[in-house]
Amino acid sequence: MSAPDLNVIYADDVFLAADKPAGLLVHGDGTGTATLTDAVAAHLASAGRVGVRPQAVQRLDVDTTGLVLFSLDPATQPKLDAEVAGRDMRKVYLAVVAGRFPWAEKTIDAPIGRDRHDARRMRAAGAGQGKPAQTRVRKLAFKGGRTLLKVELVTGRRHQIRVHLASLGFPIVGDALYGGARADARRGEEGLLLHAYAEELAHPATGEPLSLKTDWPSRLGASWSPVDLA
């Protein structure tokens, strides 16, 4: 299967940042389905960089959209990996939940572990269980029965934002795995309304501070615009 078109946010000799669309895997799953990695490789080949093998240093769920970083240089990849895994890199997401989110700002500090009853799911675990997980949430706007949230990851556990918001009773719109009917299923055709919008990091080769962000994600709905971030 051919690779999809690629929206490149940033690229140099060391790494590349791409804006992943919904429904696309970052890595191959053995089925031959086209992936974001395929799209990055095709982009590099079209630019004459045939021998470069892109390595994704971040993962997004298949239905989550937004920024994914790829290392293009084995010599600097360990430093990029360390930045992604550490707490110095700022990672900002936008999420839409059904209903009126009651907190202006909230830090969710709840360990996350595997759901023993469903291998697909993670869960907010009790004290002493799971791995430490912390998410910062700020309410941006409420319109049409939905709330737009700005979400910052302090840690990076699997499904962290989805699990933490669902644990408060506000699953992300379109999240059938964690929300069911509470996730505004009447409009579920929009998909999962979670987008990796911006990242701040130090360049892995030069140390230069970089601020990366995607275009405003129109898939979150016509009710929202960049003015809501102010």
Side-chain angles (χ1 to χ4, degrees):
M1 183 180 293
S2 63
D5 293 336
L6 185 69
N7 183 10
V8 176
I9 303 301
Y10 176 92
D12 61 19
D13 290 341
V14 172
F15 82 100
L16 178 148
D19 185 357
K20 186 184 90 66
L24 186 66
L25 292 166
V26 173
H27 300 284
D29 62 357
T31 65
T33 301
T35 67
L36 186 64
T37 302
D38 294 333
V40 172
H43 171 82
L44 294 171
S46 70
R49 303 180 67 183
V50 179
V52 178
R53 301 183 66 178
Q55 296 292 324
V57 296
Q58 293 175 308
R59 294 177 181 269
L60 290 180
D61 298 336
V62 65
D63 293 321
T64 302
T65 57
L67 280 171
V68 178
L69 302 185
F70 286 82
S71 172
L72 307 180
D73 172 33
T76 56
Q77 183 174 339
K79 192 165 185 179
L80 192 57
D81 282 332
E83 271 207 87
V84 170
R87 296 196 175 192
D88 292 334
M89 182 176 175
R90 187 179 182 216
K91 306 169 189 176
V92 177
Y93 289 70
L94 298 172
V96 177
V97 297
R100 186 185 294 272
F101 194 76
W103 300 276
E105 294 187 357
K106 186 171 182 63
T107 297
I108 309 169
D109 193 348
I112 290 178
R114 291 193 175 276
D115 188 325
R116 291 174 294 177
H117 305 291
D118 188 337
R120 301 171 304 161
R121 292 167 51 98
M122 306 298 286
R123 64 183 180 88
Q129 300 177 357
K131 295 181 178 180
Q134 191 176 80
T135 306
R136 299 190 185 113
V137 183
R138 180 160 67 90
K139 179 166 59 177
L140 296 177
F142 175 76
K143 300 175 186 177
R146 293 176 169 184
T147 306
L148 176 66
L149 302 174
K150 177 182 177 182
V151 184
E152 293 193 38
L153 285 177
V154 180
T155 55
R157 308 303 177 198
R158 182 172 182 248
H159 295 179
Q160 179 173 317
I161 296 173
R162 298 167 66 185
V163 171
H164 271 174
L165 288 175
S167 74
L168 297 180
F170 289 91
I172 297 169
V173 168
D175 194 346
L177 185 59
Y178 292 103
R182 292 182 301 148
D184 205 11
R186 62 189 172 85
R187 290 186 274 189
E189 68 275 3
E190 297 159 309
L192 179 69
L193 298 191
L194 177 64
H195 181 80
Y197 181 59
E199 295 182 345
E200 294 178 2
L201 68 155
H203 192 283
T206 67
E208 174 190 3
L210 296 175
S211 181
L212 310 176
K213 68 178 180 180
T214 69
D215 295 334
W216 183 259
S218 59
R219 68 181 296 272
L220 296 187
S223 296
W224 320 112
S225 71
V227 72
D228 291 308
L229 281 173

